[in-house]
Amino acid sequence: MATFLYRLGRSAFRRRRLVLMLWIAVLAAVGIGAISSTGSTSDSFALPGTQSQKAIDLLGEEFPQASAGGASARVVFEASEGQKLTSTANKAAVESLVAKLEQSPQVSSVSDPFTSGQVSKSGTIGFAGVTYTVPEAEVGDAAHDVQTTVVEEGEKAGLTVSMGGDAVADEAASKAAELIGLGVAAVVLLITFGSMIAAGLPLLTAVLGVGAAILSITLATQFFDIASQASTLALMLGLAVAIDYALFIVSRYRNEIRDGHDPEEACGRALGTAGSAVVFAGLTVIIALAGLSVIGIQMLTSMGLGSAFAVAVAVVIALTLLPALLGFVGPRIMKAKLLSRRMQALERGVGVSMGVRWATFVTRNPVKVLAVSVIGLGLLAVPAMSLRLTLPDDSMKPPASTQRLAYDTLSEGFGPGFNGPLTVVVDARGSDDAEGAAADATAVMRTLDDVASVRDAAFNEAGDVAIIGVVPGSAPTSQATKDLVADIRDHSAGLHAATGADLMVTGTTAVNIDVSAKLARALIPYLAIVVGLALILLLLVFRSILIPLKAAVGFLLTIASTLGVLVAVFQWGWLADVFGVDQTAPIVSVLPILLIGVVFGLAMDYEVFLVTRMREEYVHGAAPTKAVVEGFRHSGRVVTAAAVIMISVFSGFLLDDAALIKSVGLGLASAVFFDAFVVRMTVVPAVLALLGHRAWALPKWLDRALPDVDVEGEKLRRTPAAGSTSTAPEPVLAGVTAEIGPDSDRSPGPRAFTGGSGADTSDTVSRTSPLHRHHHGRTRGLSGLIQRSTSADDDTRPADTSTSKATATGGIRRKMFRKR
């Protein structure tokens, strides 16, 4: 892996113009395809195997006149204070608006509030039910314009008119979250690198990658059924991971240049090391997102696959376009004029960074730190035991939206359960007395608790299937309504035994209940599949059993604490004013499963980026504790910057008025914070310090069976780079050999262990020699002089090869001992 990516990086660096032109061609192609695409997204929610879906399919067959597949809307009319809708003027105004709705394009039917009994007992609130001939996604602009006209004319007539239902267009989504995320990312990158060029490259590649992914998803709508939320999730994740992946590679590229390598060689080595980590980190995210397909809900499948595609594009761009852009930039990326004095000192190797101080503190007090972290996350997870799930409805819309106004108005006029009516289907095709079966079912409905009203049965043309409308007394998301649905379904067996008819419950509320139940049942299998595949991947990366297990346990802590925060804020109302939550409600049922998929991938990102650098140090001879500290020295600052960027991107969604978007933003931001700063940067070093060498142990039989993916780039150190033809050893000045030996903070000499290919003797000698020690970010001694004197003349020859060292050393020795 490291060798392949090394060659890929150098090739893209050299052929930068060709790579850039190819990417421009790809963007142009998908852009043209997306513009010309006639496809559209869909919010259809099919639930194969559930009772509600079976009833929906039956209604579609037996009641085709009801346009079961068409969109619907409720147009709510409210009279001014002190007036009634039944007054002459108000009634005339309402009937005029109903007539206008009947003339609207794509409308199948409109119910009149006065003739259909859809006026409240107080006479102040009424509604018209509008059914369209097309699904929600196909309701055209002309139909939406009529809706807007009805609202405006109603207000002129002194009425308050609002609209709810899936046929009503949502307000344009605000782009503030993305803009805030990009702005914060730019500031963090500037602080991290102190260079406009270094900060701009991750942002540029992220924007290009997200653009390519979103355009491709838009193009795919012409061929596949894709949920409307797929693009939003792909945008959110694609932007975050693309910045992170480019950030890690650019950071490693700059480190390689500081170590004396020419730009092309530095690019190859950056991709061979950090690029390998990017590949495996991206694979974990892709596995977690694509795993949503196993749940069996089309909407989640399209969201997962769309987001996985966006992550894959981010990985490919980081491995191809980014090296090409580095070729255009060259050594100018090292100009860091915007760094503070302290950061400049750290760049020169003077002082100790906060990451090193923190790692040192944690490794010196592992038991105390581990106990505090685990107990803290455990306490945050306690509210998760009260988790309740639901699907989003108009009650979760922004308070000022027309959908929310219609929802609240109907609840006021007709009761809280009116927004979630139940459709009870009596399938009497196997009964000898269909009317008797329907009558018995209606009688049973009227005896149940928490039933506000029951509408008489309506039969199909054949007279063997009936619909009974039931309005609960409680809100659609309440536990009482959930219990009512269960009670009705429990009577199905008794009705079948008595009459031969079957009883089913459907409708939006029943669908929500079935979805929540199906997702709850899918949580454990989904976790098992995703975590199992990721553990195998991490086993390949780290060649250790304990480290992947530790990573999985840490992720479970993150998820539990994140769900606890969501329950405390959105169900219990803690800090509701701070986050702008105007009413408590159950958690959206798709959110926990999405959190698991998204956060697991991101968690493994941090695990791979941080721990691979620790493994790299360990493989090259560092003691276990020293390897942890050195891993923080090289990666701690970058992982911190990446986490801050992701938290900023996700926190921007807290500014949205919709409770659903707020919950997504808070959930993802909290999860990244807990995982990056508590689990990966606190729990992980504490556990590694306690485990010592055992953390990197692997049974010999498993070590032989596993392929060596070489994420740490060991082969790049041991194998002569391309272009080297000589294997002559590097000459050493007299008196130097006596000083060669292991550093005081490293284990004594080269060590063989079963965690992958360790450094050989020659490599250890070269790393521990005074000729090869680093100071102020540069190589000191003879080797440093050789590198600096030769890198300017040859930007294609790999550094540290035997040929280059021998030739350069001979030239310098001749200059040193030449008679003057």
Side-chain angles (χ1 to χ4, degrees):
M1 174 67 73
T3 305
F4 169 75
L5 292 178
Y6 168 81
R7 294 170 181 168
L8 177 64
R10 291 182 60 118
S11 178
F13 189 98
R14 288 195 301 268
R15 298 172 175 82
R16 44 190 172 272
R17 291 179 178 81
L18 175 61
V19 173
L20 181 60
M21 290 176 62
L22 289 175
W23 270 108
I24 293 175
V26 169
L27 284 170
V30 295
I32 294 172
I35 292 173
S36 60
S37 174
T38 58
S40 60
T41 57
S42 171
D43 287 317
S44 59
F45 216 97
L47 296 169
T50 61
Q51 185 184 110
S52 56
Q53 186 63 47
K54 182 179 179 181
I56 290 173
D57 295 339
L58 178 61
L59 292 178
E61 296 174 1
E62 301 297 332
F63 293 87
Q65 71 279 6
S67 298
S72 63
R74 278 179 173 176
V75 184
V76 183
F77 308 98
E78 183 177 12
S80 301
E81 187 175 356
Q83 299 184 13
K84 293 188 177 182
L85 285 181
T86 52
S87 67
T88 304
N90 287 338
K91 184 176 182 180
V94 170
E95 290 178 341
S96 173
L97 296 176
V98 169
K100 187 176 291 293
L101 288 169
E102 290 175 342
Q103 300 301 317
S104 173
Q106 301 176 316
V107 166
S108 171
S109 63
V110 180
S111 62
D112 186 278
F114 304 104
T115 60
S116 302
Q118 296 168 174
V119 178
S120 65
K121 294 180 180 180
S122 63
T124 59
I125 297 173
F127 71 92
V130 184
T131 303
Y132 290 82
T133 59
V134 295
E136 170 192 351
E138 299 178 18
V139 176
D141 293 337
H144 289 146
D145 291 340
V146 172
Q147 295 174 0
T148 303
T149 301
V150 167
V151 172
E152 294 174 350
E153 292 186 0
E155 291 177 351
K156 292 179 181 178
L159 302 172
T160 300
V161 182
S162 55
M163 294 190 178
D166 57 4
V168 181
D170 288 325
E171 297 179 2
S174 172
K175 299 300 181 183
E178 289 84 351
L179 295 177
I180 290 173
L182 282 175
V184 174
V187 172
V188 172
L189 290 171
L190 280 175
I191 294 174
T192 303
F193 293 127
S195 166
M196 293 290 291
I197 296 177
L201 285 180
L203 293 176
L204 177 60
T205 55
V207 171
L208 292 176
V210 167
I214 298 301
L215 290 173
S216 299
I217 292 173
T218 304
L219 177 61
T221 58
Q222 188 165 348
F223 310 100
F224 305 101
D225 187 16
I226 297 178
S228 59
Q229 300 92 340
S231 295
T232 302
L233 186 62
L235 173 63
M236 184 191 307
L237 289 179
L239 186 65
V241 300
I243 293 175
D244 279 7
Y245 295 164
L247 169 63
F248 283 107
I249 292 177
V250 169
S251 176
R252 189 59 184 257
Y253 173 74
R254 285 161 56 93
N255 287 341
E256 295 293 338
I257 289 183
R258 288 193 196 97
D259 287 345
H261 299 116
D262 63 83
E264 182 179 330
E265 175 70 10
C267 183
R269 287 176 177 264
L271 248 69
T273 51
S276 298
V278 165
V279 169
F280 283 96
L283 282 176
T284 58
V285 182
I286 291 170
I287 287 173
L289 293 172
L292 292 172
S293 305
V294 305
I295 297 173
I297 297 178
Q298 174 60 30
M299 184 189 76
L300 284 179
T301 298
S302 63
M303 291 174 67
L305 293 179
S307 301
F309 175 75
V311 174
V313 171
V315 172
V316 174
I317 277 191
L319 300 179
T320 55
L321 181 60
L322 180 58
L325 295 178
L326 290 175
F328 286 106
V329 173
R332 288 176 295 171
I333 201 171
M334 299 303 296
K335 296 180 180 179
K337 298 180 180 180
L338 302 178
L339 286 178
S340 64
R341 292 183 178 180
R342 181 177 179 277
M343 296 302 295
Q344 289 176 354
L346 290 176
E347 291 278 336
R348 297 193 304 269
V350 177
V352 181
S353 66
M354 287 295 297
V356 172
R357 293 178 182 176
W358 175 249
T360 303
F361 169 77
V362 171
T363 53
R364 288 177 178 174
N365 306 276
V367 176
K368 295 179 181 178
V369 170
L370 185 61
V372 171
S373 300
V374 173
I375 292 173
L377 292 176
L379 291 176
L380 288 173
V382 170
M385 292 186 291
S386 302
L387 177 67
R388 290 168 48 215
L389 301 176
T390 186
L391 278 184
D393 56 18
D394 285 349
S395 67
M396 296 184 181
K397 299 290 185 182
S401 65
T402 184
Q403 295 98 324
R404 177 65 178 276
L405 181 60
Y407 185 95
D408 293 341
T409 304
L410 288 173
S411 296
E412 178 186 348
F414 298 92
F418 193 79
N419 284 292
L422 304 177
T423 301
V424 180
V425 180
V426 181
D427 183 5
R429 290 176 295 180
S431 174
D432 296 332
D433 184 7
E435 291 187 1
D440 290 348
T442 303
V444 169
M445 298 303 106
R446 291 195 170 106
T447 62
L448 297 178
D449 295 334
D450 200 47
V451 172
S453 64
V454 178
R455 192 177 63 217
D456 290 337
F459 284 89
N460 62 341
E461 292 184 1
D464 54 6
V465 177
I467 299 176
I468 304 172
V470 178
V471 176
S474 302
T477 59
S478 67
Q479 184 63 38
T481 300
K482 184 177 179 180
D483 294 338
L484 175 61
V485 172
D487 288 343
I488 295 175
R489 288 173 171 173
D490 289 342
H491 283 84
S492 178
L495 183 67
H496 182 80
T499 65
D502 293 321
L503 195 66
M504 295 179 287
V505 185
T506 187
T508 303
T509 301
V511 169
N512 290 352
I513 293 171
D514 288 344
V515 169
S516 300
K518 184 168 186 174
L519 290 174
R521 290 193 300 269
L523 275 177
I524 301 302
Y526 174 67
L527 268 174
I529 292 173
V530 171
V531 173
L533 291 175
L535 285 177
I536 295 173
L537 198 63
L538 294 177
L539 182 65
L540 291 174
V541 175
F542 298 123
R543 306 190 73 80
S544 164
I545 294 179
L546 294 179
I547 287 181
L549 291 175
K550 167 195 60 63
V553 172
F555 162 72
L556 294 177
L557 284 173
T558 297
I559 284 295
S561 57
T562 301
L563 291 177
V565 169
L566 288 175
V567 170
V569 173
F570 291 95
Q571 279 188 209
W572 295 358
W574 293 5
L575 301 177
D577 294 337
V578 175
F579 294 104
V581 179
D582 63 309
Q583 68 175 9
T584 59
I587 304 301
V588 177
S589 53
V590 297
L591 185 54
I593 208 88
L594 278 178
L595 275 177
I596 290 173
V598 174
V599 175
F600 184 81
L602 299 181
M604 295 307 104
D605 271 5
Y606 300 128
E607 179 79 13
V608 170
F609 288 130
L610 193 60
V611 180
T612 48
R613 196 61 192 252
M614 297 177 186
R615 172 176 166 76
E616 184 177 344
E617 295 296 325
Y618 183 76
V619 166
H620 295 151
T625 301
K626 182 64 175 177
V628 171
V629 176
E630 288 299 311
F632 269 81
R633 184 189 305 278
H634 295 291
S635 298
R637 178 179 165 194
V638 181
V639 170
T640 300
V644 170
I645 289 172
M646 281 204 178
I647 292 171
S648 303
V649 171
F650 297 144
S651 295
F653 291 90
L654 288 171
L655 301 177
D656 199 287
D657 293 330
L660 172 60
I661 305 300
K662 284 180 181 291
S663 64
V664 172
L666 179 62
L668 290 175
S670 300
V672 172
F673 176 81
F674 294 146
D675 197 85
F677 295 113
V678 181
V679 175
R680 307 303 155 189
M681 302 186 75
T682 304
V683 173
V684 167
V687 171
L688 290 179
L690 290 173
L691 292 176
H693 292 289
R694 291 170 294 177
W696 309 100
L698 187 69
K700 292 183 178 180
W701 65 268
L702 186 57
D703 182 50
R704 291 191 298 268
L706 292 177
D708 185 8
V709 295
D710 190 27
V711 176
E712 67 277 358
E714 177 64 14
K715 293 180 181 178
L716 298 181
R717 293 177 177 267
R718 298 185 308 174
T719 305
S724 178
T725 58
S726 172
T727 58
E730 177 184 2
V732 180
L733 296 180
V736 170
T737 54
E739 300 182 55
I740 295 178
D743 292 346
S744 59
D745 59 356
R746 297 186 181 271
S747 55
R751 177 180 62 256
F753 60 98
T754 59
S757 53
D760 58 17
T761 306
S762 61
D763 182 62
T764 306
V765 170
S766 65
R767 282 178 51 81
T768 57
S769 169
L771 303 182
H772 221 70
R773 291 177 184 162
H774 295 141
H775 180 63
H776 291 190
R778 300 175 64 88
T779 305
R780 299 189 64 192
L782 181 58
S783 296
L785 180 60
I786 294 169
Q787 290 176 355
R788 292 192 291 273
S789 63
T790 58
S791 61
D793 297 329
D794 185 2
D795 62 352
T796 61
R797 181 173 58 225
D800 294 342
T801 64
S802 301
T803 301
S804 61
K805 287 182 179 180
T807 305
T809 304
I812 291 175
R813 294 171 93 184
R814 286 193 294 271
K815 292 179 182 179
M816 292 173 61
F817 297 104
R818 182 182 299 164
K819 294 183 179 179
R820 296 186 182 274

